[in-house]
Amino acid sequence: MFDLISFDQLTAAWGPQISIILRFCSAFALLHFIVLRPLYNFFLHPLREYPGPRLWAASVLPWACMFLSGQSHRRLRELHDRYGRTVRLGPNELSFTVPEAWNDIMGRSKPGIRQENPKAPWYLSPSSKDIIGALHDDHTRMRRLMAGGFSTAAMQQQQQIIKSYVDLLIGRLHISAAQDDLIDIHAWYNYCTFDIIGDLTFGESFGCLDEAAMHPWISLIFANIRLTAFILVFKRIPVLLALLPFFVSYKLVKQFREHQQISREKVAKRLEFKDSRADFVQDMITGKAGQVECLRGMQTMSRDELVNNSVILTLAGSETTATSLAGATYLIMKDRRVERRILEELRSRFSEAEDMDLMNVATLPYLGAVTEECLRLYPPGPNAQPRITPPKGNTILGKYIPGNTILGIPHRAMYLSESNFTRPTEFIPERWLDPTRSEEFAGDRRECFHPFSYGPRNCIGMNLAYAELRLILARVIWDFEMEISASSEGWMENQDSYLLWQKQPLWVRLVPRKGDSESVRESAPYSSRDRL
Ligand code: HEM
């Protein structure tokens, strides 16, 4: 109505010619976007040879609908099952479940062969002043500055801090188990991983384990994850920005501002510490641990970068690990055989829970196999972290792909593909055991498995994540027999996914173990064949 009135007023003022021109332009724009462009995309576009649904080849909208539906993980797997290992997901988008794609898409530049594929611009975080969103050179600088905090030497220094929070978690779980019938184990894992990352980043915990509650700052961060997911789609398809107010409330925007302010204050407080501390902020100020004098005073990372990277570490280093722990707990609770084997392995190596630390649990083969299998069936970021070919194009899997093509490797579709793993939907940690794994799994394409991504922008916190996963799982299984509540049946299978999984509480009953492995009950082996 308003449009018509203003259009008529315009034509009255400018005469009939302008009216004809405007009508022609509108008609042409409509024709272009609704008919010509899709026809070009479908019949003439350089990616026309790649298989995929027709509508998806014509327009980016089906992808957007999939992304906003929270069903990407399911849909991507169905599409790969139906169309093969390379699928066209949009006019200029390809998705791969071929193991070699990791190197070609995420790997470093190879002079004369291939340039590095940068992150898709709409995928970058709202600020490019952090390690996840930074362009190539800034990323290299930040990554170098942050790497010291993730070295083996740094982890040895961090060991006592991490262990103290795991002790606290176990103590708090014992108290809760005595008081409550059911507890949300995912929430407790979150409390623990946030307290650890708070201490490792800012030199103080968030107090989540003490309070048995998420710190309000963290709730703000979670609000921002949702916001980021929506912004990402709207950045890719700017015309959809008109829909933003329907998805993003004023409250969310206000929370985003508050969150920026609190982040600044937290970093400012941390910078007031005069003595040097073995935390990530220290590394970002000084570069490598031990090179304090040589780098202090040089502008190595701006204040904004410091703030943003601290927030990134808090987020990336906690929720992902807590998600994996919850997923692993769920899968282990569903398969008592696996639980028994873990317990046997632990009891054959340790006589006291206190003997376990980050380093010695890393040498337990079965526990290691279980963590791999859990990350395979339930990768915390289930979908792709897209890249884009440089303007001149690139050679991917031996074929020229034109410039500005979006390239994705959806983790979950890759790991649940029958081309890559035998009995892919079943929980079989033994497939990872060398040298005792059965011949049946000899054909598993393990090189396709990169839950922490691959190449120069892979996860900087991978070793820390594995260390936390193993220690926390080992300690929880050592102390408790866990039983899933009926209300959490299907917890894993029924989740939606955006950038991360959208999780419900994982309600479990905890019973302190009496000390004999016989207390592990029987259950049928877990297979998610029909549900994932
Ligand atoms: C199970 C736990 C974890 C998983 C599955 C995971 C997975 C990933 C993945 C897939 C990426 C690549 C993202 C992209 O390409 O956009 C990534 C990047 C990153 N992760 Fe993790 N992560 C985990 C834990 C951690 C921890 C504990 C930390 C730090 C304390 C961390 C810090 C980071 C950072 C800073 C990046 C960006 C690296 C860069 O761009 O150079 N992550 N992670």
Side-chain angles (χ1 to χ4, degrees), residues 119 123 131-132 139 143 150 197 313 316-317 320-321 324 380 385 387 451-453 457-461 464-465:
K119 287 191 175 178
Y123 177 70
I131 187 166
I132 296 218
H139 173 263
R143 179 110 184 181
F150 296 91
I197 205 72
L313 284 176
T320 43
T321 314
S324 304
Q385 289 95 38
R387 300 293 188 261
F452 295 90
S453 196
R457 300 191 83 134
N458 75 345
C459 179
I460 198 170
L464 176 64

Side-chain angles (χ1 to χ4, degrees), residues 102 106 119 123 130-134 139 143 146 150 197 200-201 280 309 312-325 375 379-381 383 385-387 411 450-466 468-469:
W102 282 110
M106 304 291 198
K119 287 191 175 178
Y123 177 70
D130 63 54
I131 187 166
I132 296 218
H139 173 263
R143 179 110 184 181
M146 293 165 78
F150 296 91
I197 205 72
L200 293 185
T201 308
F280 297 140
N309 281 323
I312 291 284
L313 284 176
T314 316
L315 253 188
S318 48
E319 165 64 13
T320 43
T321 314
T323 300
S324 304
L325 282 165
L375 286 166
N383 302 315
Q385 289 95 38
R387 300 293 188 261
H411 290 266
H450 293 288
F452 295 90
S453 196
Y454 182 96
R457 300 191 83 134
N458 75 345
C459 179
I460 198 170
M462 179 171 79
N463 292 337
L464 176 64
Y466 270 126
E468 282 186 57
L469 277 177

Side-chain angles (χ1 to χ4, degrees), residues 158-355:
Q158 295 155 356
Q159 158 130 279
Q160 273 319 315
I161 299 177
I162 298 173
K163 238 183 131 203
S164 68
Y165 287 105
V166 180
D167 287 342
L168 187 56
L169 168 72
I170 300 295
R172 301 290 279 129
L173 287 181
H174 273 287
I175 295 171
S176 283
Q179 288 171 347
D180 303 317
D181 186 26
L182 292 175
I183 66 157
D184 175 8
I185 192 78
H186 172 240
W188 281 98
Y189 287 145
N190 255 325
Y191 304 155
C192 183
T193 56
F194 271 106
D195 275 355
I196 291 175
I197 205 72
D199 202 322
L200 293 185
T201 308
F202 299 108
E204 62 175 9
S205 95
F206 289 108
C208 301
L209 283 168
D210 282 334
E211 300 292 325
M214 290 299 256
H215 189 282
W217 186 62
I218 295 159
S219 308
L220 282 181
I221 295 183
F222 277 122
N224 285 309
I225 297 184
R226 264 203 357 260
L227 182 62
T228 308
F230 283 110
I231 288 177
L232 190 147
V233 171
F234 298 137
K235 271 173 87 179
R236 180 168 180 188
I237 314 169
V239 72
L240 292 184
L241 269 174
L243 297 177
L244 197 63
F246 293 101
F247 293 94
V248 180
S249 62
Y250 171 71
K251 193 173 152 214
L252 213 56
V253 176
K254 198 165 152 257
Q255 281 179 340
F256 181 75
R257 294 220 179 96
E258 276 170 29
H259 149 71
Q260 294 284 2
Q261 184 54 30
I262 301 175
S263 311
R264 265 168 219 290
E265 286 165 11
K266 262 203 158 312
V267 173
K269 192 171 162 207
R270 163 63 187 81
L271 291 176
E272 277 166 19
F273 297 151
K274 291 283 175 273
D275 54 334
S276 114
R277 306 170 64 100
D279 58 30
F280 297 140
V281 168
Q282 185 68 32
D283 278 293
M284 289 190 268
I285 310 167
T286 62
K288 264 191 169 164
Q291 292 187 358
V292 181
E293 284 74 27
C294 116
L295 285 168
R296 182 163 282 164
M298 283 169 62
Q299 270 223 317
T300 50
M301 216 185 259
S302 71
R303 182 98 175 182
D304 275 353
E305 289 171 344
L306 198 59
V307 172
N308 293 345
N309 281 323
S310 305
V311 176
I312 291 284
L313 284 176
T314 316
L315 253 188
S318 48
E319 165 64 13
T320 43
T321 314
T323 300
S324 304
L325 282 165
T329 305
Y330 180 83
L331 289 166
I332 294 166
M333 279 191 295
K334 290 264 170 193
D335 196 334
R336 298 289 171 190
R337 183 190 60 85
V338 173
E339 184 186 3
R340 180 182 298 114
R341 275 200 77 172
I342 299 176
L343 204 53
E344 282 166 6
E345 188 178 59
L346 293 174
R347 289 183 174 164
S348 70
R349 281 291 289 280
F350 306 106
S351 44
E352 302 283 338
E354 289 67 38
D355 296 341

Side-chain angles (χ1 to χ4, degrees), residues 441-454:
F441 303 110
D444 278 1
R445 305 279 317 266
R446 290 184 192 181
E447 68 276 24
C448 81
F449 179 66
H450 293 288
F452 295 90
S453 196
Y454 182 96

